[in-house]
Amino acid sequence: MRNKEVSDKLYELAEIAEMAGENPFKIKAYNEAARIIENLTIPIEDLTKKDKLTEIKGIGKGIAEKIQEYLEKGTISKLEELKKIVPETLLEMGKIPGLGAKRVKTLYEKLNIKTIDELKGAALAHSISTLDGFGEKLEENILKSINEIRDKRNVRFLLGIAYPLASEIVGKLKENSPVDKITVCGSLRRMKETIGDIDILVTSKKSEKVMDYFVSMPLVKSINAKGDTKSSIITFEGIQVDLRVVEPSSYGAAIQYFTGSKEHNVRLREIAIKKNLKLNEYGLFDIDSGRKVGGEKEERIYEILGLQFIPPEMREDRGEIELAQRYEIPELIKISDIKGDFHVHSNYSDGSNTIEEMALYAKSLGYEYIVVSDHAKALGVAHGLSLERFKEQKKEIEQINKKVHPFKVFQGVELNILSDGSVDFEDKDLSFFDVCLAGIHTGMNQEESQITKRVIRTLNTKGVRVFVHPTGRIINGRDEYKIDVEKVFEEGKKNKSVFEINASFERLDLNDVNSKNAVFNYGLKIEIGTDAHSTNSMENMFYGVGVARRAWLTKESVINTMRIKALESYLRGEL
DNA sequence: GCCGTTTTCGGCCCGACTGTTTTCAGTCG
């Protein structure tokens, strides 16, 4: 699947075309096409072969030809031509806050500035402020930004770090300041795997008091801004938190606006225009009369636009708007649908709690079961267990199950997919377990064909049912290993394999796009497991459900929404 | 460059902020 590659190429084309001063709407079209392909779940090369590219909305004749050219020759002639006019180093300059395509172009044309170093030199020599439209202030800001860009590097925080922090702040604001309504918006509300900053929206009759308290919270490291309607702080973790106070009559519109995504909002405003309405963060207005027709409630905005309400997690303009127009938004899976955690560890391997402690904690979360899936022997660093140890474990589990009945501990195992695709134990021994999970823990640097081949061999091993953390990525830490997910899904379909959404917030693997692909294009089933190594980590289930919701999944696609009896039948292959 | 329940031509989201400006361009989200 070469979608990512093609979409990156189109983004690059858009960036360079912008620097070259091409028609802004052409650039918009390139960016739009890139984004669509990025989120596409079918391989772009298949569509190209079947000559079906232009059937995708947003891809016309021109871009289709460019994609075809790229897939065949590895280059796009238009892009190569632009590169001759625009030095690629200008793209780096464009990333400096305050410098966009227009200013970069002017700097290049008038002062022949091509690199950040040259830019710094020019700023220090005060030659930038001599240009029309450039002033001393801008020159100063450019210098400041150049110094900042080196340590900033667009940091995004993990959902699992930002979410608890946001909840804590909301709790404090409710408790200690006169807020009426309060909602967390932005990518956090959409449960995106990483978060740029935290946006909190409130209504209040005494906004100064809310702001005073907000900037004085103990977790505040520094204050960026403090005003009547907006304040902004940085916490000790380095996360920026923005707080906005809005009028109650605009609250719904503001929530909608600040939840995004940007692309989703753009589509909504386009729909509004067609209905002779204007949508902004203050409300929905009739264009002719200027009269406000909505804004207090978010649901009402969707309703007036002729749309079914769209859950925040779906708001990425990946087809959810079309679905809402047909009133076909599915009933997404909820945390309360989860009946058990499918992937936890105990102190038999590298977990820190006993099986019984894990079981009791799971019970307190309202679960009916857990699958204890300790590491098998090949993973020495995690105290992987021999078959003999698993037999001892089985005895203990039987004892615990008597105690915690009707709650049930299933005995699973997390097998290692070894470099040749075999696993820790022989095939005949796998039936010993209630369920066998398998994952890659070593040999992650192999070539794509090799990794894909070994996973396929494992999926074809009788007894192995679940493929855990299928792409191996650690967010902000390690890239996915090279694996042909399409081939693996295809093979999974033949073997009725289950794929994991690993709910550990450093992994969230499968991610939203892959999960959606697995379920909607291959009919695969998903298991959500926290991979918890201690009782508390079982709370991360919430993030896994977030990924599932972003993938549009209903509870029917997720096997650990089943009750015990149904799951037992399913694991026996009866369902 | 894309698109069409008024359109195959003429549109293409919206507002805030900043800095440079006496009415606006550029950038950003």
Side-chain angles (χ1 to χ4, degrees):
Chain A
M1 173 136 137
R2 300 177 67 187
N3 296 17
K4 178 80 171 56
E5 192 186 330
V6 170
S7 111
D8 282 349
K9 225 35 185 188
L10 288 174
Y11 278 128
E12 188 185 347
L13 177 61
E15 268 192 308
I16 294 202
E18 199 180 4
M19 291 293 173
E22 295 231 2
N23 177 355
F25 296 110
K26 194 188 272 193
I27 290 147
K28 188 188 163 203
Y30 291 150
N31 273 318
E32 187 63 11
R35 198 186 62 84
I36 289 164
I37 293 165
E38 197 176 20
N39 290 311
L40 208 61
T41 51
I42 29 179
I44 190 86
E45 54 273 33
D46 291 359
L47 288 173
T48 310
K49 271 183 224 145
K50 291 179 195 150
D51 216 13
K52 285 188 169 170
L53 280 176
T54 52
E55 285 178 20
I56 301 173
K57 198 160 164 275
I59 298 180
K61 200 160 154 278
I63 293 180
E65 278 169 7
K66 289 182 177 61
I67 293 171
Q68 192 162 11
E69 186 189 358
Y70 176 73
L71 288 173
E72 280 167 13
K73 298 180 193 157
T75 53
I76 300 173
S77 44
K78 167 104 185 173
L79 179 63
E80 298 307 316
E81 278 165 33
L82 288 172
K83 279 184 184 169
K84 283 179 201 152
I85 313 168
V86 180
E88 282 183 75
T89 50
L90 294 193
L91 302 184
E92 278 301 307
M93 280 171 60
K95 294 197 172 71
I96 294 171
L99 286 191
K102 293 257 170 62
R103 284 177 182 155
V104 168
K105 189 163 179 261
T106 307
L107 288 166
Y108 174 54
E109 284 173 353
K110 304 278 184 195
L111 297 177
N112 195 30
I113 294 171
K114 297 182 295 296
T115 66
I116 292 179
D117 282 342
E118 287 169 5
L119 180 70
K120 191 171 181 179
L124 289 170
H126 300 295
S127 46
I128 290 176
S129 53
T130 61
L131 294 173
D132 278 353
F134 291 69
E136 284 175 22
K137 198 81 187 206
L138 190 61
E139 203 168 57
E140 268 173 48
N141 287 341
I142 286 172
L143 273 178
K144 221 169 99 191
S145 301
I146 289 175
N147 293 330
E148 276 172 11
I149 202 171
R150 299 229 148 85
D151 45 80
K152 241 189 165 177
R153 291 269 160 221
N154 45 6
V155 200
R156 287 184 68 86
F157 293 90
L158 299 186
L159 176 65
I161 302 292
Y163 203 98
L165 178 68
S167 305
E168 184 189 344
I169 294 172
V170 166
K172 282 179 186 292
L173 285 167
K174 274 187 192 166
E175 198 177 319
N176 302 311
S177 80
V179 298
D180 295 324
K181 296 179 192 155
I182 182 162
T183 308
V184 175
C185 298
S187 46
L188 201 56
R189 184 165 179 240
R190 304 203 311 279
M191 295 294 281
K192 221 177 148 193
E193 60 195 33
T194 59
I195 304 298
D197 55 19
I198 297 174
D199 278 314
I200 302 174
L201 220 57
V202 303
T203 61
S204 172
K205 291 186 186 70
K206 298 173 184 164
S207 71
E208 309 105 280
K209 286 207 168 149
V210 177
M211 292 306 186
D212 285 343
Y213 176 72
F214 176 65
V215 300
S216 73
M217 290 182 300
L219 50 79
V220 175
K221 184 184 175 198
S222 64
I223 302 168
N224 285 347
K226 179 172 179 271
D228 291 342
T229 60
K230 181 185 165 179
S231 291
S232 175
I233 57 112
I234 307 279
T235 70
F236 282 99
E237 290 91 341
I239 305 185
Q240 180 173 328
V241 186
D242 293 347
L243 179 69
R244 294 163 208 272
V245 180
V246 300
E247 288 297 319
S249 64
S250 295
Y251 190 59
I255 290 176
Q256 198 290 313
Y257 176 86
F258 286 109
T259 296
S261 68
K262 189 185 165 202
E263 291 79 11
H264 175 91
N265 288 356
V266 167
R267 289 288 312 280
L268 251 52
R269 286 177 216 139
E270 284 169 356
I271 291 170
I273 288 170
K274 286 190 186 135
K275 295 184 184 293
N276 204 34
L277 297 166
K278 184 175 71 167
L279 177 63
N280 58 31
E281 61 264 54
Y282 303 108
L284 195 52
F285 301 87
D286 184 285
I287 289 178
D288 298 328
S289 65
R291 195 172 58 88
K292 191 169 186 168
V293 296
E296 194 177 343
K297 291 215 181 309
E298 189 182 38
E299 292 83 353
R300 185 77 184 121
I301 288 169
Y302 285 91
E303 197 184 324
I304 298 171
L305 294 178
L307 300 169
Q308 189 181 353
F309 183 75
I310 301 174
E313 295 92 335
M314 292 178 78
R315 299 183 195 170
E316 299 289 345
D317 190 23
R318 295 175 184 166
E320 77 280 5
I321 290 170
E322 288 72 13
L323 228 50
Q325 280 170 330
R326 302 195 299 268
Y327 276 72
E328 289 173 4
I329 297 282
E331 173 84 27
L332 300 182
I333 183 172
K334 301 183 294 291
I335 184 78
S336 57
D337 292 327
I338 299 291
K339 297 288 180 263
D341 197 324
F342 216 86
H343 184 171
V344 307
H345 293 270
S346 76
N347 59 1
Y348 268 82
S349 64
D350 59 347
S352 49
N353 290 94
T354 64
I355 295 172
E356 187 170 351
E357 284 164 348
M358 295 300 277
L360 291 174
Y361 198 86
K363 214 175 159 182
S364 78
L365 293 174
Y367 292 160
E368 298 179 4
Y369 52 86
I370 50 172
V371 177
V372 171
S373 47
D374 274 316
H375 293 285
K377 64 179 182 185
L379 201 60
V381 288
H383 306 108
L385 309 183
S386 64
L387 206 52
E388 286 63 39
R389 278 290 281 158
F390 274 118
K391 284 178 182 163
E392 290 167 26
Q393 188 189 48
K394 181 167 231 154
K395 283 184 198 150
E396 184 176 335
I397 288 175
E398 281 165 0
Q399 289 306 311
I400 293 168
N401 276 338
K402 280 179 196 158
K403 268 201 235 175
V404 296
H405 183 82
F407 186 94
K408 179 170 178 177
V409 176
F410 287 92
Q411 187 178 26
V413 53
E414 183 173 1
L415 297 163
N416 299 287
I417 299 176
L418 303 172
S419 60
D420 61 353
S422 65
V423 294
D424 309 66
F425 302 128
E426 290 178 41
D427 293 8
K428 66 178 173 54
D429 294 324
L430 299 180
S431 59
F432 171 84
F433 299 96
D434 292 324
V435 56
C436 291
L437 291 62
I440 291 182
H441 301 95
T442 52
M444 300 181 194
N445 293 324
Q446 289 179 337
E447 288 306 309
E448 176 173 307
S449 61
Q450 232 177 331
I451 292 196
T452 305
K453 207 172 129 194
R454 70 195 256 223
V455 169
I456 286 175
R457 177 174 167 195
T458 305
L459 294 181
N460 276 298
T461 302
K462 191 169 156 30
V464 175
R465 196 64 189 278
V466 182
F467 184 25
V468 297
H469 41 73
T471 72
R473 61 108 176 239
I474 303 288
I475 304 171
N476 287 353
R478 183 174 75 206
D479 286 344
E480 301 178 351
Y481 32 69
K482 297 184 215 112
I483 182 167
D484 187 336
V485 288
E486 303 294 328
K487 275 194 188 147
V488 169
F489 286 165
E490 191 65 50
E491 207 65 23
K493 188 178 171 182
K494 284 185 213 155
N495 290 294
K496 292 195 174 170
S497 310
V498 174
F499 286 71
E500 179 175 74
I501 292 177
N502 190 293
S504 157
F505 58 77
E506 282 113 0
R507 289 189 183 270
L508 299 178
D509 176 15
L510 296 173
N511 67 10
D512 49 2
V513 174
N514 282 328
S515 304
K516 191 173 167 197
N517 189 13
V519 169
F520 289 93
N521 295 331
Y522 293 90
L524 291 165
K525 293 286 187 197
I526 296 289
E527 152 270 296
I528 308 179
T530 61
D531 207 346
H533 285 68
S534 65
T535 52
N536 287 337
S537 308
M538 276 191 265
E539 309 268 359
N540 290 340
M541 182 59 74
F542 179 64
Y543 305 117
V545 172
V547 172
R549 287 172 65 85
R550 288 178 60 82
W552 302 11
L553 305 193
T554 65
K555 67 175 183 181
E556 283 70 29
S557 302
V558 177
I559 63 169
N560 50 321
T561 61
M562 292 184 199
R563 310 294 295 266
I564 290 185
K565 291 288 169 217
L567 183 65
E568 283 171 340
S569 308
Y570 182 81
L571 293 178
R572 284 195 300 265
E574 294 165 7
L575 284 181

